[in-house]
Amino acid sequence: MTHTYQITGMTCSGCSSGIEEKLNGIAGVIRATVNLEKAEAEIEMKNHISTAAFQNAIGTKYTIREKIDEPMVMPIPNEREEKSEWRQLFPLFLIFGYITTTAVLLNLNPFDSHGFMLDFMGLFYIVFSFFKLLDLKGFPESFKMYDPLAKRISLYAVIYPFIETALGLMFLLRFEISIALYATLIVLGITTIGVTKVLLDKKSIQCACLGTALKLPMTKATFIENSLMIAMAIVMIAATF
């Protein structure tokens, strides 16, 4: 017999593979397959196994329950769903607000637009790398789900937070700014390609821009934040010619 279960709490492929391994280790389970994108597990078993046994095996970090087929209904867009998405992204907007305010205050009297952009980009990298470093073990798996280079080179996903930290310090300390600007175009350009593909494919995955500590969905806001940094880098490179 085969049953389908819903699993909540998974944030990366490491979570799904770990759960799959634990489920397959249960006596009586013939084969268990976990789908991260659907947040589901399909379990083939010799005899009926209680949901409690599955829950005990995967631990309290995740929740598993049997999926109940429901009649298909046409989705009706509503204001409540839209507000829910904006509420999920609130931490991202809050961080952007703090970074922008700090960069403005550092360059007042008189206002220096060039200094503002350097400080904004520096603070952007430092703050975002900080959140990635909070879960350095889980971040690479989430990042590899959409970054093209990280998918091919696992080491790149591991060192990415440190690359952001280095670039942030270069901008804030005004050290080798030209190198930092070109590196920004390359690093964020590659990531933006992956983000664009995810958005076009309408896939539902977690954004790793703030690491895995804050569970943010991949949305247009992710594309906008990267595009803003790339635009600033282009403007500052153009100003040097």
Side-chain angles (χ1 to χ4, degrees), residues 65-204:
R65 64 177 183 273
E66 190 164 3
K67 184 177 179 181
I68 301 174
D69 293 330
E70 298 177 350
M72 184 177 293
V73 295
M74 292 298 292
I76 302 175
N78 56 64
E79 190 176 340
R80 185 174 297 177
E81 290 180 356
E82 187 175 342
K83 287 183 178 179
S84 176
E85 182 176 310
W86 286 104
R87 192 177 293 113
Q88 285 181 294
L89 293 172
F90 177 73
L92 180 63
F93 296 129
L94 185 64
I95 290 171
F96 255 93
Y98 271 101
I99 291 175
T100 303
T101 301
T102 303
V104 169
L105 293 176
L106 289 173
N107 294 278
L108 282 177
N109 300 322
F111 181 71
D112 178 8
S113 60
H114 183 77
F116 164 77
M117 286 191 284
L118 289 176
D119 287 330
F120 179 92
M121 296 176 77
L123 291 169
F124 176 96
Y125 277 129
I126 293 296
V127 172
F128 277 59
S129 64
F130 165 77
F131 282 99
K132 293 178 176 70
L133 290 169
L134 288 178
D135 185 15
L136 192 56
K137 183 178 180 180
F139 166 75
E141 292 301 323
S142 294
F143 191 51
K144 284 191 285 187
M145 291 184 69
Y146 61 89
D147 186 272
L149 186 56
K151 287 180 181 179
R152 292 177 174 271
I153 306 175
S154 297
L155 179 61
Y156 177 70
V158 175
I159 66 173
Y160 186 83
F162 300 99
I163 294 175
E164 284 196 330
T165 301
L167 290 174
L169 291 174
M170 290 171 74
F171 282 122
L172 293 175
L173 298 176
R174 309 299 194 259
F175 175 74
E176 297 292 350
I177 294 175
S178 295
I179 295 176
L181 290 172
Y182 284 109
T184 293
L185 291 181
I186 296 171
V187 171
L188 292 186
I190 293 173
T191 302
T192 303
I193 291 173
V195 170
T196 302
K197 188 177 186 303
V198 169
L199 294 176
L200 291 176
D201 292 343
K202 297 182 179 180
K203 292 181 179 179
S204 178

